[in-house]
Amino acid sequence: MLGTGAGPTPKAGRQPTAAVLLHGGAAYVIDCGNGVGPQLVRAGVALKTMRAIFITHLHLDHVADFGTLVTQAWSQLRVPIKLTGPPPLARMSELYRELFSVDLNSRVAEEGRTPLGDLMHVQEITGAGDCYADDNVKVTCLPVPHGGIDYAFAYRFDCADRSVVFSGDTSLSLALADFAKGAHTLVHEAVFPPALHRLAPLGGAKLLDRIMGAHSAVEQAALVASRAGVAKLVLSPLAPADGVTDDEWIAAARTEYAGEVVVGRDLLEV
Ligand SMILES: [Zn+2]
């Protein structure tokens, strides 16, 4: 877990959403909240082992650093990275390279680097299905409901010995429970409603309505884990990002789910 805090406003204790799945010496990044590159390095993940990046949706706290992460890994990349996410990720990738063209062009001209665009292979997804496969892992995606945004996806990683599902941001989705059936671990976003009133002064009732309409209470995340029959539920990203104890998160999840509950924490290895 690289970043476990929901929302774009910086938090002292949690980075915005990002995770990395490690298997067979390769790294697969799920979401690119601001700071994902430094968090990967702090986690001891060699940037050159990155094979693919999966963006669940285009809210800033999940996508802000997608281009910066590839740029930070650039000097170590020998083969292209595949980026998968909703449209207009391809256009965003072009615009990123235009935005930072002074830096990017100078490194190509002066250091002889491969143009960054040649190392960013973007695949846009708009529906459920297979979206990635290599010798390590097969990845499938499922649209999930997330308020008014056009596209939000969950991703399922099937490895030879284990399967892991990442919900991304989603309101309660029983389709997600079906999607996660047979998986070992479900990483699911979670909101702790009793603590949300602390956010009210920032945006009032409208913000609270938006949060609860687009996200999952921790009990709902637990219900999905229970229906899916997974062995382990990892809660991440969390809203609010602080002020709720691990015991409180776990007790709330326990009302709907009997399996192992792990409260997400930055740099926690699961
Ligand atoms: Zn979101």
Side-chain angles (χ1 to χ4, degrees):
M1 310 308 297
L2 301 173
T4 58
T9 308
K11 322 284 193 300
R14 297 183 190 274
Q15 297 277 319
T17 308
V20 62
L21 185 134
L22 304 174
H23 192 266
Y28 305 86
V29 174
I30 301 95
D31 276 339
C32 289
N34 178 227
V36 59
Q39 286 293 85
L40 273 170
V41 172
R42 290 184 191 111
V45 178
L47 296 178
K48 66 182 177 190
T49 64
M50 258 198 315
R51 283 200 195 168
I53 296 170
F54 300 86
I55 302 296
T56 60
H57 66 297
L58 300 179
H59 281 153
L60 193 74
D61 49 322
H62 294 253
V63 73
D65 275 11
F66 81 99
T68 298
L69 175 59
V70 180
T71 306
Q72 289 169 333
W74 190 8
S75 66
Q76 301 177 43
L77 295 180
R78 297 294 173 266
V79 294
I81 288 195
K82 184 138 180 206
L83 292 96
T84 297
L89 189 62
R91 180 72 180 129
M92 289 166 68
S93 176
E94 291 170 10
L95 290 171
Y96 172 86
R97 296 193 296 273
E98 186 180 333
L99 181 65
F100 291 106
S101 57
V102 171
D103 178 283
L104 302 182
N105 292 342
S106 75
R107 291 185 198 281
V108 172
E110 295 165 26
E111 301 175 21
R113 293 193 189 187
T114 304
L116 194 68
D118 293 350
L119 294 169
M120 297 174 78
H121 287 185
V122 179
Q123 167 186 236
E124 293 183 348
I125 51 172
T126 56
D130 297 342
C131 62
Y132 179 89
D134 63 19
D135 52 345
N136 262 330
V137 62
K138 172 173 165 293
V139 186
T140 48
C141 59
L142 176 79
V144 290
H146 182 38
I149 198 166
D150 284 342
Y151 298 108
F153 288 93
Y155 290 102
R156 175 176 176 135
F157 293 76
D158 288 304
C159 305
D161 58 341
R162 188 156 294 193
S163 299
V164 182
V165 174
F166 292 83
S167 73
D169 279 1
T170 182
S171 53
L172 175 63
S173 168
L174 297 182
L176 175 59
D178 289 338
F179 182 67
K181 278 210 165 85
H184 180 275
T185 297
L186 171 64
V187 182
H188 200 295
E189 71 131 283
V191 173
F192 198 86
L196 272 189
H197 67 270
R198 297 188 308 102
L199 298 175
L202 304 176
K206 192 170 178 188
L207 176 63
L208 292 185
D209 284 351
R210 192 190 87 72
I211 290 173
M212 289 322 300
H215 294 274
S216 301
V218 56
E219 293 87 353
Q220 294 175 320
L223 176 67
V224 171
S226 183
R227 289 223 185 183
V230 295
K232 188 181 293 194
L233 169 64
V234 180
L235 300 172
S236 177
L238 301 174
D242 50 33
V244 182
T245 67
D246 283 10
D247 286 347
E248 288 175 312
W249 285 110
I250 291 169
R254 190 58 73 213
T255 62
E256 298 287 347
Y257 175 66
E260 182 184 354
V261 180
V262 176
V263 181
R265 171 165 53 79
D266 289 16
L267 300 181
L268 173 70
E269 183 174 352
V270 180

